[in-house]
Amino acid sequence: MEMLAASQQNIAAGEEYIRVKAARYYLTDFFETPIAYISGNGMFFPHSGYGKLIAYNAILYNYHLGDIGLIGNYAMYGIFFVLGVFIICFRALQIRTEPQYAYIKYFVFAVILSIILGGGFGQSDFIGLMVILIYIIDISHENYLQKEEAEHVL
């Protein structure tokens, strides 16, 4: 019941909700140069000036990059990373597969939601998961094409 009450409180906070404020900050005020909107600022090292700024924002304002999902990845890696993630995911959804592997597409859809809401695509375990899913989809697609070709030959 506590989780429901916390969710209702977060919804009621609206524009004052900490994640909304953090997202707004990282989308508007964080980038120091116009090129950073395209290239991102890179991964931070805790002892660098940039890393200290990230830590300062986390401690003082409670603005954590990991709390704002894809926006956090955008702040670090830029628009090309975000576009690449979506191209990979949506391409995986478009590829035809064998019927017994259709459930993989639902899993990819869940991954897309996870990317948007919780980030994670920059983490090695998440990337490993995507590689495995795409491999299964690719093998299934090849099998699908071979079966389709065999049907046309007959």
Side-chain angles (χ1 to χ4, degrees):
M1 210 52 169
E2 287 180 33
M3 195 171 205
L4 179 62
S7 294
Q8 289 172 340
Q9 183 181 10
N10 291 340
I11 291 170
E15 291 290 316
E16 293 303 311
Y17 182 46
I18 192 66
R19 289 183 177 163
V20 172
K21 290 168 70 174
R24 188 178 308 116
Y25 169 76
Y26 282 111
L27 285 173
T28 58
D29 300 330
F30 181 66
F31 297 108
E32 293 182 8
T33 63
I35 194 78
Y37 284 94
I38 297 169
S39 66
N41 289 298
M43 186 63 185
F44 57 92
F45 179 69
H47 302 296
S48 68
Y50 172 53
K52 289 177 182 175
L53 174 65
I54 298 293
Y56 176 81
N57 289 334
I59 293 167
L60 191 63
Y61 301 112
N62 210 18
Y63 293 171
H64 298 276
L65 284 173
D67 286 350
I68 54 175
L70 192 59
I71 295 170
N73 285 333
Y74 168 68
M76 286 189 288
Y77 307 119
I79 193 67
F80 292 122
F81 176 83
V82 173
L83 289 174
V85 167
F86 279 114
I87 289 170
I88 289 169
C89 290
F90 288 121
R91 182 71 180 122
L93 288 175
Q94 290 178 337
I95 294 175
R96 292 183 184 176
T97 60
E98 297 173 294
Q100 67 264 28
Y101 293 108
Y103 70 93
I104 296 288
K105 303 253 179 137
Y106 295 112
F107 200 71
V108 170
F109 184 73
V111 166
I112 292 170
L113 287 177
S114 175
I115 290 168
I116 293 169
L117 300 174
F121 201 83
Q123 298 171 352
S124 60
D125 55 346
F126 203 84
I127 294 171
L129 170 68
M130 278 305 295
V131 167
I132 291 168
L133 290 175
I134 292 170
Y135 176 75
I136 292 170
I137 289 171
D138 191 45
I139 294 297
S140 178
H141 180 66
E142 284 298 316
N143 291 341
Y144 176 84
L145 290 177
Q146 288 175 358
K147 287 179 184 178
E148 194 174 77
E149 187 177 304
E151 287 175 5
H152 289 301
V153 170
L154 297 175

